[in-house]
Amino acid sequence: MGGPELVLTASRQPAALDARRGVVRLHPEVLTTLGIHPGDPVRLAGRRVTAARAAASEPEATPGLLYADDLTLGNLGLRDGGEVTVGPTPVTAATRVVLTGAPQVVAAISPELLRLALLGKVVTPGDDISLLPQELPPPEALPPEALPDPALRGLLTAARQSLANRVGYAWTSTLLTVTAAAPASAALVTMETTVGWEHGPATHGLAASRALSPAEALPRAASPTGARDAEPTETTGPTAPTVEELPGLRAQAEELTELLDLGFHRGAVLRRLGTTVALGVLLDGPAGSGKSALVRAVADRVGARVRPLWGPELAALTNSAAAEQLRAAAAAVRVDEPAVLLVTDVEALAPAAAPGPVATVFRQVVAEAVAAGAAVVCTTSRLDAVDPALRAPDLLSLRISVPLPDAALRREQLGVLTRPVPLAEDVRLDEVAARTPGFVAADLAALVREAGVRAALRQKTVEQPRMTMADLHAALAVVRPTTMAASTLELASVTLDDVGDLAEVKQTLTESVLWPLTNPDTFARLGVQPPRGVLLYGPPGCGKTYLVTALAGSGRANVLAVKGAELLSKWVGESERAVRELFRRAREAAPTLVFLDEVDALAPVRGLATDGGTADRVVAALLTELDGVESLRNVVVVGATNRPDLVDPALLRPGRMERLVYVPPPDEAGRAEILRAASRTVPLAPEVDLGALAGDLDGFSAADCAALVREAALAAMRESLAAATVTTAHVAVARTRVRPSLDPAQVTWLAEYARKRQ
């Protein structure tokens, strides 16, 4: 290959950050021997020939090993490892790359967005490749004209967010296949590369795009949702979906269809009535809920063409360039009637916080287009971030909202998504729909796609593979709803049945928390509002947080957990904003359980704080969210505290946290149940009598009982690491080490407080 080569042994990549990013790690001595700099492409030959970008491994790594991820090993044909011949290869910028993928992915990702995702990666025909971004710096030998324009570098961050919005949470695990590339080996994707889908749209090289005026380039630009305008001399992209393929959006589709049909085809009726119709629409809803697909489906129904613009892309340009493209787009829509100007992620062009010159030009463009009879539809997943001035009567006068799908609509969406999938007899889509609260259409598509990948891995040699319920369960473990992408809560696999004792408390929580989240229709049928919130209080270590964990483990609702102090900030207005953001996310992901731990720190009694009024303003924001003008539908708030007397009384009135649930220390029978629950997986010797032990643990909390079982197991390990059982002797040792943590005075005071509240 014109350079030195070495034969190394392929090994799994230990660096998680390199996973599926087209990176292999070589020992620094190997890089020196091959004359390769970090970031350079390398040729890899196993059972197949492929290429990747090289990076240095740790100096203490084995020199004879090549560290690669599962994707690169698969491209080499070495799933289980093996010998790989490694050598340098010239740094050659790709002129053309063609890919294929799942139909949902092809329809969701435009070629321009695809090029940004693949920027900096080395591709070879036949390779599988992911959408995860390449983090290595450009190779030193890359010509300057192939590097990203500094004005476009802000697009890379926006591109990642857009991928999450359009493909769903599983965009990081989505795989594509390179069907063609020029040159055919070790081609580096740059901003000059023409990237496209097989039998679909493609980008233009950056130089070619710069040679066109915005008006000339616009008709050939691809939509951020994958739609492409049909030109007689060009290959058209994915066809628009039908309204029947968008369950849950039919009411919104009918409303938009009536408006566009009236404006485009019923002009004579409007003239006879001496009126006009404004075709400016703001379409809002959660990311991935199908807003752009809805517009394309309706436009296809009324015979209109779609001219797409992506807000973050225009916002990353200079003011003059963005203004020029906006005016060119509006001119094209007015000339090419009937047509719809579709602006996705409009909050990037016209932000509510600080609208600039581009926002002013955008308002002018929308006003001119609407006045000329053209349709302008803007979509957003963050309605509060859009400039309110856009809602003027002569701009976006009509607002259409896309809500989160409920269980019935999710079941219908799953039926549409699995229509081409061979399902096993054990697949129960009703159960999957019930276990996917907060999922939007893109999330469900990602779920089905992930389950399909797992089914394919299991049945590589089966002629008629099928997707089973086990595949869907495995996918549910890794695919989270897009609305919960920022949540870091790890849910334990426990339910209320795993909680020892506290039968009355568990019944109260089932009625106050689970029933409103899982059976809202029953409350509506009986004409009553479900409880908005519950406050758990009791001594430390008695299971308040564990009870909420068990509620979350039921899997019937999304969970947002936050400690009270985490929302507090020294900056004026930031704490209130954090409270509003928390409840905004809760509404988007409904049904949602919001858990406020140590709520006395977040909502103390007003007028007693010395922090300049921050705590008082936070309490006011919290009260407004719980019982304000905006409905808190399918959201239940659970607070926990050891000091209920420090919580602001206004928070505890009916309509807010109206149910106060006392979690008492366990009695003897309760301690026995807790010991049995804690030792369920511990091999106890037959002579260990948990009932008798519970009688000797007066003053122990639930946490103390669990600690006793844990300490007994450690005592057995200290005696012998080969120990098979925990004996009474080990329990006796643990009994001398674990002491009760309950404060008798605090227990007495809380019991008296609970008696007065009854």
Side-chain angles (χ1 to χ4, degrees), residues 382-406:
R382 298 167 53 212
L383 185 61
D384 56 343
V386 179
D387 184 4
L390 281 177
R391 300 295 309 281
D394 58 335
L395 299 176
L396 306 180
S397 56
L398 177 64
R399 174 190 167 191
I400 299 178
S401 295
V402 176
L404 274 170
D406 57 16

Side-chain angles (χ1 to χ4, degrees), residues 497-732:
D497 295 334
D498 299 310
V499 180
D501 195 27
L502 303 176
E504 185 177 345
V505 174
K506 290 190 289 186
Q507 180 61 29
T508 302
L509 289 177
T510 299
E511 297 173 0
S512 303
V513 179
L514 290 184
W515 285 2
L517 294 176
T518 57
N519 301 288
D521 295 340
T522 302
F523 286 90
R525 186 169 60 252
L526 296 177
V528 295
Q529 288 289 338
R532 295 271 181 87
V534 176
L535 178 66
L536 297 176
Y537 68 99
C542 289
K544 298 184 294 296
T545 303
Y546 191 74
L547 280 167
V548 178
T549 303
L551 286 171
S554 67
R556 302 295 178 173
N558 291 308
V559 182
L560 289 173
V562 61
K563 293 182 180 179
E566 291 179 357
L567 295 179
L568 299 178
S569 171
K570 66 179 181 179
W571 305 108
V572 176
E574 283 301 304
S575 298
E576 301 93 296
R577 187 199 61 79
V579 172
R580 291 194 300 271
E581 179 67 15
L582 172 67
F583 282 89
R584 183 192 65 79
R585 289 176 55 205
R587 290 187 185 91
E588 286 187 354
T592 309
L593 169 62
V594 179
F595 177 44
L596 302 177
D597 203 1
E598 306 296 342
V599 70
D600 51 289
L602 177 64
V605 178
R606 285 173 287 183
L608 301 181
T610 59
D611 56 2
T614 298
D616 292 355
R617 292 193 298 271
V618 170
V619 174
L622 187 58
L623 297 177
T624 302
E625 293 293 342
L626 279 172
D627 191 21
V629 175
E630 189 171 1
S631 174
L632 198 63
R633 180 175 173 80
N634 291 343
V635 177
V636 175
V637 180
V638 178
T641 180
N642 303 324
R643 295 294 305 273
D645 57 315
L646 297 183
V647 179
D648 192 89
L651 193 65
L652 307 181
R653 74 157 175 80
R656 292 168 182 164
M657 287 188 177
E658 60 186 70
R659 302 292 296 272
L660 272 68
V661 181
Y662 178 49
V663 184
D667 55 15
E668 182 176 341
R671 292 193 295 269
E673 285 191 41
I674 293 168
L675 288 171
R676 293 187 188 100
S679 60
R680 191 171 297 166
T681 58
V682 178
L684 297 176
E687 68 270 13
V688 177
D689 187 350
L690 295 180
L693 178 61
D696 189 40
L697 299 179
D698 190 30
F700 273 57
S701 67
D704 297 333
C705 293
L708 182 67
V709 174
R710 187 165 55 251
E711 185 61 33
L714 289 174
M717 294 174 64
R718 293 189 196 100
E719 184 178 283
S720 172
L721 289 176
T725 59
V726 176
T727 66
T728 53
H730 301 139
V731 174

Side-chain angles (χ1 to χ4, degrees), residues 238-302:
T239 58
T242 63
V243 173
E244 288 69 25
E245 294 172 344
L246 302 173
L249 301 179
R250 295 190 181 110
Q252 292 80 5
E254 289 300 327
E255 185 176 1
L256 186 58
T257 300
E258 289 178 358
L259 179 71
L260 296 185
D261 179 66
L262 185 64
F264 290 152
H265 307 304
R266 313 296 176 190
V269 176
L270 292 172
R271 285 192 294 273
R272 285 196 293 270
L273 292 172
T275 186
T276 59
V277 61
L279 300 181
V281 181
L282 180 61
L283 189 60
D284 71 277
S289 56
K291 299 183 293 294
S292 297
L294 168 65
V295 177
R296 290 189 287 119
V298 170
D300 185 66
R301 174 188 278 189
V302 300

Side-chain angles (χ1 to χ4, degrees), residues 230-517:
E231 298 287 351
T233 59
E234 295 182 5
T235 303
T236 61
T239 58
T242 63
V243 173
E244 288 69 25
E245 294 172 344
L246 302 173
L249 301 179
R250 295 190 181 110
Q252 292 80 5
E254 289 300 327
E255 185 176 1
L256 186 58
T257 300
E258 289 178 358
L259 179 71
L260 296 185
D261 179 66
L262 185 64
F264 290 152
H265 307 304
R266 313 296 176 190
V269 176
L270 292 172
R271 285 192 294 273
R272 285 196 293 270
L273 292 172
T275 186
T276 59
V277 61
L279 300 181
V281 181
L282 180 61
L283 189 60
D284 71 277
S289 56
K291 299 183 293 294
S292 297
L294 168 65
V295 177
R296 290 189 287 119
V298 170
D300 185 66
R301 174 188 278 189
V302 300
R305 302 180 66 180
V306 176
R307 299 282 180 176
L309 289 176
W310 182 33
E313 184 175 9
L314 292 179
L317 302 177
T318 62
N319 291 340
S320 59
E324 189 175 0
Q325 290 206 22
L326 284 170
R327 292 191 176 99
V333 170
R334 291 195 297 270
V335 170
D336 192 20
E337 293 185 359
V340 178
L341 179 61
L342 172 61
V343 183
T344 54
D345 299 331
V346 69
E347 69 274 6
L349 275 180
V358 175
T360 302
V361 173
F362 180 61
R363 288 196 298 270
Q364 294 172 347
V365 165
V366 173
E368 293 170 1
V370 171
V376 179
V377 181
C378 299
T379 70
T380 180
S381 58
R382 298 167 53 212
L383 185 61
D384 56 343
V386 179
D387 184 4
L390 281 177
R391 300 295 309 281
D394 58 335
L395 299 176
L396 306 180
S397 56
L398 177 64
R399 174 190 167 191
I400 299 178
S401 295
V402 176
L404 274 170
D406 57 16
L409 287 177
R410 292 197 298 273
R411 170 61 180 85
E412 193 175 352
Q413 289 173 339
L414 285 168
V416 172
L417 292 169
T418 57
R419 196 176 292 162
V421 180
L423 300 177
E425 295 180 356
D426 67 336
V427 172
R428 300 177 298 278
L429 294 181
D430 289 336
E431 179 181 332
V432 177
R435 291 188 56 189
T436 50
F439 276 57
V440 293
D443 301 323
L444 293 174
L447 178 70
V448 173
R449 189 163 56 247
E450 180 69 19
V453 170
R454 292 175 182 271
L457 291 174
R458 283 192 306 101
Q459 307 169 85
K460 294 179 181 178
T461 59
V462 177
E463 284 191 19
Q464 295 182 337
R466 290 181 176 273
M467 182 187 296
T468 66
M469 195 66 183
D471 299 319
L472 288 165
H473 282 155
L476 279 169
V478 297
V479 178
R480 295 292 305 277
T482 306
T483 51
M484 298 291 291
S487 176
T488 57
L489 180 66
E490 294 293 334
L491 299 183
S493 56
V494 295
T495 64
L496 288 176
D497 295 334
D498 299 310
V499 180
D501 195 27
L502 303 176
E504 185 177 345
V505 174
K506 290 190 289 186
Q507 180 61 29
T508 302
L509 289 177
T510 299
E511 297 173 0
S512 303
V513 179
L514 290 184
W515 285 2
L517 294 176

